[in-house]
Amino acid sequence: MRRAVTIKHVAAEAGVSLQTVSRVINNEPNVRPVVQERVRAAVAKLGYVPSLAARRMGGSRSFLLMALNDRDRTIEGWKSGEGTDWVDQMLMGGMLKCEAHGYRMIFELVDTHSDHVDAAVRGAIAALHPDGVILTPPHSENPAITGLLSRLGLPFARIASIAEGDGFAVSMDDAKASAFAVDHLLGLGHVRIGFITGSEEYAVSGARLEGYRQAMAASTHGLDETLIAQGDFSYESGVAAMETLLALPSRPTAVLASNDRMAHAALRTAKRNGLSVPGDLSVISFDNTPLARFADMTAVIQPIAEMSAVAAELLIRSTAGEAELPRQSMVDFGFAPRGSTAAPPRPK
């Protein structure tokens, strides 16, 4: 059986140190051209495929990115069985981008509300030595985490974050996306359009609400604040918010909810109250997870994979020494019209 070729074999063949082989593999500076040629010739002759550990020997990079997701919310999403694929999309975008650059991405769960979040993040960094960190909501706007990474001098990217601060912020234009959804409903002829807010813990919730307010205020019908109901991204809050909207003297004929779970709650609550969707009530959701697709709900598409890919690329380029990189990046949102929206019912 043929033995595995290691970096030691390449170093011996080329007559150089292990660190020199690593520097050549990683295209690091300060290696004479003649030595580079010897090392590359040895790599080709032996058929050597560099491992992550071998690439790290150069000393400047680990070729590893770490993505941090909130422990409680992630586990809750996995256990719910409701088709939440936020994590899957984030991993797909980040991992494929890392693969294209010879990197790896590790996924860690940390409780953002823990009193020991500082120690948990420090422990993960000490164990993995990543070149950079991708933060997902609500980590991306947790000052305890972003402040720690800034003090450590470790590059990080904040996905779905529009807040000012350190690191690379990568998001879609949530206000514009919300206004687009409202305009879609206005175009169908709706006048009474309700809105279910997201958790105040997320800056994007405020942006989505602001987009709704701006679009309604700019319409010929104007903004009615009573049509705004409080939610927190949970299914239960979506039920409560929809019940509030249905109890109004003049109920809405359409509702925009700040995520798929609350939109699904609104849809089912409307049906329990004897309303048909979209005959009596139109519903639009945010995110476009499988839950929205399976329920045939019109949805704003949050480009999670694309945001993760942009975040990974910015971190990799930063680690490679590029200085002129955008601190804020916007990724285009999408929109999927489906069977939950139609023209409003005619007055009886």
Side-chain angles (χ1 to χ4, degrees):
M1 188 172 107
R2 184 184 177 187
R3 65 177 182 174
V5 177
T6 69
I7 190 172
K8 292 181 179 179
H9 298 123
V10 175
E13 178 70 24
V16 298
S17 68
L18 301 180
Q19 289 75 14
T20 297
V21 175
S22 181
R23 283 197 291 269
V24 173
I25 292 170
N26 298 327
N27 295 314
E28 301 283 354
N30 303 321
V31 181
R32 290 182 294 129
V34 64
V35 175
Q36 292 182 33
E37 290 179 12
R38 283 213 316 271
V39 171
R40 292 193 177 106
V43 168
K45 177 181 177 181
L46 299 175
Y48 172 65
V49 178
S51 67
L52 194 59
R55 297 188 73 192
R56 286 185 174 189
M57 282 187 182
S60 61
R61 285 186 282 175
S62 67
F63 298 92
L64 183 70
L65 297 184
M66 179 174 71
L68 287 183
N69 223 52
D70 186 49
R71 179 180 179 83
D72 289 347
R73 293 177 191 269
T74 301
I75 293 175
E76 178 188 351
W78 284 339
K79 288 183 175 180
S80 71
E82 292 179 352
T84 301
D85 68 344
W86 209 102
V87 171
D88 292 344
Q89 291 293 313
M90 183 274 294
L91 289 174
M92 180 179 73
M95 285 182 165
L96 291 180
K97 182 60 67 174
C98 283
E99 182 183 49
H101 288 274
Y103 266 67
R104 296 291 183 270
M105 190 168 91
I106 299 293
F107 177 57
E108 291 283 312
L109 296 180
V110 172
D111 181 5
T112 198
H113 297 109
S114 170
D115 294 335
H116 309 291
V117 66
D118 184 285
V121 175
R122 284 182 182 274
I125 292 171
L128 299 171
H129 300 286
D131 284 340
V133 178
I134 295 175
L135 300 177
T136 64
H139 290 330
S140 49
E141 290 171 0
N142 184 331
I145 297 176
T146 58
L148 170 62
L149 296 177
S150 294
R151 291 192 299 274
L152 294 174
L154 187 60
F156 63 94
R158 297 180 284 116
I159 290 182
S161 174
I162 59 175
E164 296 289 333
D166 293 338
F168 299 105
V170 183
S171 65
M172 72 177 190
D173 192 332
D174 287 270
K176 184 177 180 181
S178 185
F180 184 94
V182 171
D183 287 341
H184 179 76
L185 293 169
L186 290 170
L188 290 173
H190 292 276
V191 175
R192 301 280 294 169
I193 300 173
F195 185 83
I196 301 177
T197 69
S199 169
E200 295 179 353
E201 188 176 11
Y202 297 78
V204 296
S205 296
R208 292 173 185 181
L209 175 57
E210 184 59 26
Y212 163 82
R213 281 188 166 130
Q214 290 177 355
M216 291 304 299
S219 72
T220 57
H221 317 296
L223 173 64
D224 181 350
E225 291 283 345
T226 66
L227 288 171
I228 300 172
Q230 182 65 48
D232 62 12
F233 289 139
S234 69
Y235 183 91
E236 293 74 18
S237 73
V239 171
M242 193 66 226
E243 292 284 6
T244 298
L245 292 173
L246 291 178
L248 292 173
S250 178
R251 68 165 180 81
T253 61
V255 170
L256 171 60
S258 293
N259 76 342
D260 291 336
R261 189 175 292 182
M262 293 191 300
H264 192 228
L267 185 151
R268 295 183 66 180
T269 301
K271 290 183 175 180
R272 280 200 304 272
N273 281 271
L275 300 178
S276 67
V277 176
D280 298 312
L281 180 78
S282 287
V283 177
I284 296 182
S285 70
F286 260 88
D287 293 344
N288 195 47
T289 62
L291 181 63
R293 300 195 291 273
F294 296 155
D296 196 29
M297 290 192 297
T298 296
V300 173
I301 302 172
Q302 184 175 196
I304 301 164
E306 291 85 349
M307 288 191 290
S308 181
V310 170
E313 177 150 356
L314 286 168
L315 291 174
I316 292 169
R317 291 171 62 188
S318 175
T319 304
E322 290 191 44
E324 300 300 321
L325 295 171
R327 307 309 296 181
Q328 291 192 329
S329 301
M330 270 307 175
V331 180
D332 291 338
F333 65 87
F335 189 74
R338 297 195 181 97
S340 67
T341 49
R346 293 181 179 180
K348 296 180 180 178

